[in-house]
């Protein structure tokens, strides 16, 4: 998605806030100047740091991060008690509206049954899934699909692209809570994934649709990588896929709360430090603490599985020898 210009009211944050998006005439979003500059968990540009040109609570510009909770105001002014009370009320109202929007989006998804329609069209592209190591049996199990023409907004204009569709089911549920679209003809190389539509909740991809992982789990970056890894491991360990390399701490902690050992397998670039000098793998380890077991591979795991440079025995050995990183 193309970036918008940083509003003049937030000029002091120039060079600290990235991936800027215009939400409305009064609201902008982007990466947080305090906690993150990486991609948003749903695959879109980060929007966790919200910037209001004029807040109802203060009458002035204000920024707030939904992830770390930090606020920003011009020249570092602190909110007085009344302003703070109004600000809290404003945020509570916004959060309630967000929840109502998510409920409406989920109702629409389930009423339209889009994942059923897309799965019925998967025959046109089954070979694309086969190339990823996903056989027909698993295509049907996960109800993977195909949308020949999805409209996508890039921040300035819309365009159409075919997509591979990935319905995301919570364990034990027959209807997904969202659909992830892998754009086959994205305008930007780093803008490959989109949700079916805005407002849908974010979730991990559970390779085992029947049960939530307990004790041990292998956490793999991306749904397709998780799928092909699970197939090669022949269900010997639960595998879960993340929507990108920087899911929120809240998402990871809430959905993997029953696991005592979490084996983390991210792409090689997750070990590269970002603008703030911190890597995605470091952030992940900070979230899980002593539960973390880190696996590092020289290339993306799905590419290694596809070309035969990694197999079941090699994966099992990586899991067995996974290292801890000092907290």
């Amino acid at each position: 998605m193309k970036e918008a210009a940083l509003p003049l009211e937030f000029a002091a944050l120039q060079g600290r806030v990235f991936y800027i998006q215009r939400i409305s005439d009064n609201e902008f979003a982007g990466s947080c100047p305090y906690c993150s500059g990486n991609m948003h968990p749903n695959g879109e540009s980060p929007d966790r740091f919200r910037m209001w040109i004029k807040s109802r609570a203060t009458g002035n510009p204000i920024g707030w991060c939904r992830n770390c909770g930090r606020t920003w105001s011009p020249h570092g002014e602190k909110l007085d008690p009344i302003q703070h009370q109004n600000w809290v009320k404003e945020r509570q109202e916004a959060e309630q509206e967000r929840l109502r929007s998510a409920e409406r989006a989920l109702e629409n998804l389930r009423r339209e049954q889009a994942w059923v329609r897309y799965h019925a069209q998967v025959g046109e592209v089954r070979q694309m899934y086969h190339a990823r190591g996903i056989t027909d049996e698993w295509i049907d199990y996960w109800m993977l699909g195909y949308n020949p023409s999805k409209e996508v907004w890039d921040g300035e204009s819309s365009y159409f692209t075919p997509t591979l569709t990935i319905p995301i089911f919570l364990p034990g549920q027959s209807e997904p809570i969202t659909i992830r679209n892998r754009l086959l003809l994205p305008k930007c190389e780093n803008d490959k994934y989109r949700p079916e539509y805005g407002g849908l909740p974010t979730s991990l991809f559970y390779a085992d649709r029947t049960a939530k992982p307990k004790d041990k789990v292998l956490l793999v970056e991306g749904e397709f990588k998780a799928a092909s890894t699970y197939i090669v491991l022949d269900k010997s360990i639960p595998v879960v896929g993340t929507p990108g390399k920087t899911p929120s701490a809240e998402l990871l902690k809430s959905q993997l709360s029953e696991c005592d050992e979490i084996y983390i397998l991210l792409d090689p670039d997750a070990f590269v430090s970002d603008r703030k000098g911190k890597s995605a793998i470091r952030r992940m380890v900070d979230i899980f603490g002593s539960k973390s077991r880190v696996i590092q591979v020289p290339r993306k795991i799905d590419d290694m599985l596809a070309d035969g440079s990694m197999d079941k025995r090699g994966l099992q050995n990586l899991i067995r020898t996974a290292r801890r990183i000092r907290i």
Side-chain angles (χ1 to χ4, degrees):
M1 182 177 291
K2 294 181 180 178
E3 290 191 37
L6 184 68
L8 291 176
E9 293 81 358
F10 294 85
L13 293 177
Q14 190 70 47
R16 297 175 58 197
V17 176
F18 306 95
Y19 311 106
I20 300 159
Q21 306 157 57
R22 186 182 189 128
I23 307 301
S24 70
D25 288 343
N26 188 53
E27 184 179 356
F28 289 75
S31 62
C32 178
Y34 305 109
C35 72
S36 176
N38 293 304
M39 297 305 289
H40 190 274
N42 67 7
E44 294 183 320
S45 299
D47 66 352
R48 59 184 51 170
F49 188 69
R50 296 296 175 128
M51 296 169 280
W52 290 268
I53 294 175
K54 185 176 182 179
S55 165
R56 295 197 311 270
T58 67
N60 297 313
I62 193 165
W64 170 69
C65 179
R66 297 186 300 183
N67 185 58
C68 69
R70 293 281 294 273
T71 59
W72 178 94
S73 57
H75 313 298
E77 305 120 330
K78 293 185 178 180
L79 305 183
D80 63 38
I82 294 178
Q83 287 179 325
H84 185 266
Q85 184 179 5
N86 291 338
W87 168 251
V88 171
K89 182 180 179 181
E90 187 177 344
R91 298 279 41 81
Q92 289 173 339
E93 290 173 352
E95 179 63 14
Q96 288 302 311
E97 177 54 36
R98 187 191 67 80
L99 292 174
R100 287 192 292 270
S101 176
E103 289 174 359
R104 290 193 296 268
L106 194 54
E107 288 174 2
N108 290 338
L109 176 70
R110 291 174 174 173
R111 181 176 62 253
E112 294 172 0
Q113 300 277 297
W115 73 95
V116 177
R117 183 171 71 255
Y118 297 150
H119 182 61
Q121 298 169 166
V122 77
E124 298 181 44
V125 297
R126 280 186 180 263
Q127 72 280 2
M128 297 184 72
Y129 286 110
H130 297 162
R132 295 173 179 269
I134 304 173
T135 61
D136 288 330
E137 173 191 1
W138 291 104
I139 292 172
D140 296 336
Y141 177 74
W142 290 311
M143 294 199 70
L144 303 175
Y146 174 65
N147 181 353
S149 183
K150 178 174 178 58
E151 186 174 13
V152 175
W153 176 258
D154 71 354
E156 292 185 356
S157 61
S158 63
Y159 67 97
F160 289 87
T161 171
T163 72
L164 300 180
T165 60
I166 313 165
I168 307 297
F169 298 88
L170 294 180
Q173 294 191 7
S174 60
E175 295 182 315
I177 64 169
T178 190
I179 299 174
R180 290 261 284 169
N181 283 269
R182 169 55 164 93
L183 311 188
L184 295 179
L185 297 173
K187 278 191 174 182
C188 300
E189 187 64 21
N190 65 347
D191 187 23
K192 295 179 180 178
Y193 286 88
R194 295 293 183 91
E196 184 65 9
Y197 41 77
L200 289 169
T202 301
S203 174
L204 302 175
F205 169 81
Y206 294 90
D208 181 357
R209 287 185 51 189
T210 65
K212 199 171 182 180
K214 296 182 179 180
D215 303 323
K216 296 181 180 180
V217 66
L218 177 61
L219 189 65
V220 180
E221 180 181 339
E223 294 86 1
F224 286 138
K225 295 186 187 76
S228 57
T229 301
Y230 187 64
I231 292 170
V232 169
L233 285 171
D234 195 23
K235 301 182 283 188
S236 58
I237 183 174
V239 178
V240 171
T242 67
K245 62 174 57 63
T246 57
S248 70
E250 179 184 6
L251 174 67
L252 292 171
K253 288 180 177 179
S254 63
Q255 297 200 0
L256 299 178
S257 59
E258 298 181 51
C259 297
D260 298 319
E261 293 183 357
I262 299 171
Y263 296 83
I264 306 170
L265 176 55
L266 304 183
D267 291 352
D269 61 358
F271 291 81
V272 179
S273 297
D274 61 13
R275 296 180 179 100
K276 291 184 172 294
K278 202 169 189 179
S279 65
I281 192 68
R282 180 73 255 181
R283 286 192 171 90
M284 195 84 75
V285 169
D286 288 346
I287 290 169
F288 292 123
S290 61
K291 295 181 178 182
S292 305
R293 307 289 187 273
V294 175
I295 298 171
Q296 187 169 5
V297 289
R299 294 184 293 123
K300 294 180 179 180
I301 189 62
D302 55 341
D303 291 338
M304 297 180 70
L305 294 172
D307 66 19
S309 58
M310 181 65 66
D311 57 13
K312 180 179 179 180
R313 178 176 293 181
L315 272 172
Q316 290 176 328
N317 187 54
L318 285 176
I319 294 169
R320 186 174 62 254
T321 59
R323 61 192 176 94
R324 299 190 186 194
I325 292 182
R326 184 176 298 174
I327 306 303

